[in-house]
Amino acid sequence: MTRLLSFCLVAVLALAGCDTTPPKLGPDGRPLPKVHVIKPGDEGAVTYSMVDSINSLRSAAGAPPLTLNPLLTAAAATHSRDMAVQNRPWHFGSDGSSPLLRVQRTGYQGQMLGENISETYETELETLSAWMELADTRAVILDPAARDVGFSWYQEPGGKIWWTLVTGG
């Protein structure tokens, strides 16, 4: 009897671990994204995953590679956090600053060429893929005049990620 009870308990626990609920769908009919959590210590991997992926896309398009620039990254980080504070993805800061002004404030000596932003729960590569689907954000990534890139994000405690990419030349 004890064996049978033990077997039933193990079977119930095993079945309880199975998730048979279908994925929740968004208004476009596609599954809603799962929350991607960037763990402490993963910052470098996320950054270089994005930069390496961008450079692969640029290479395929015949554009020169981008170099990660700390000043552009500082401008991107400032804007990601500010978008979270404002709770809206847009190119202007809460102080009225434009992307150009934010880049100038860092002391970057080159010309600011473009900025891509996103509010999502997705990974950096899913975000890059979404940017590549739109002509204007794809143009920022593949701009042959760009030589430098800044990339950063801010993740809220609930998981929402505010991504910012800035290019310069």
Side-chain angles (χ1 to χ4, degrees):
M1 180 71 171
T2 306
R3 283 183 163 180
L4 180 60
L5 187 57
S6 297
F7 175 75
C8 288
L9 181 60
V10 168
V12 166
L13 290 174
L15 289 174
C18 297
D19 184 9
T20 59
T21 57
K24 293 183 180 175
L25 302 179
D28 60 358
R30 294 174 26 185
L32 291 173
K34 294 179 182 173
V35 175
H36 172 68
V37 177
I38 302 171
K39 299 178 194 109
D42 287 348
E43 292 87 358
V46 170
T47 298
Y48 287 104
S49 170
M50 177 63 91
V51 174
D52 289 346
S53 298
I54 286 171
N55 282 334
S56 293
L57 292 167
R58 288 176 62 84
S59 176
L66 298 179
T67 301
L68 187 63
N69 181 282
L71 298 175
L72 292 179
T73 296
T78 298
H79 192 54
S80 291
R81 184 150 184 102
D82 191 48
M83 285 189 298
V85 168
Q86 296 181 72
N87 195 32
R88 63 177 169 178
W90 75 320
H91 293 282
F92 293 94
S94 57
D95 62 355
S97 62
S98 67
L100 179 60
L101 181 57
R102 286 191 299 276
V103 167
Q104 288 173 344
R105 285 176 180 167
T106 68
Y108 181 71
Q109 295 298 306
Q111 179 183 8
M112 184 269 184
L113 297 173
E115 179 183 72
N116 287 348
I117 59 173
S118 182
E119 163 197 22
T120 183
Y121 291 92
E122 299 175 328
T123 69
E124 71 279 3
L125 297 182
E126 290 169 314
T127 301
L128 176 58
S129 178
W131 283 338
M132 290 300 290
E133 289 178 11
L134 300 172
D136 57 341
T137 51
R138 182 175 53 246
V140 169
I141 292 165
L142 299 179
D143 183 351
R147 297 294 181 265
D148 299 317
V149 65
F151 173 68
S152 192
W153 65 90
Y154 174 76
Q155 185 160 32
E156 296 178 355
K160 185 189 293 184
I161 307 172
W162 301 85
W163 302 99
T164 305
L165 178 133
V166 181
T167 59

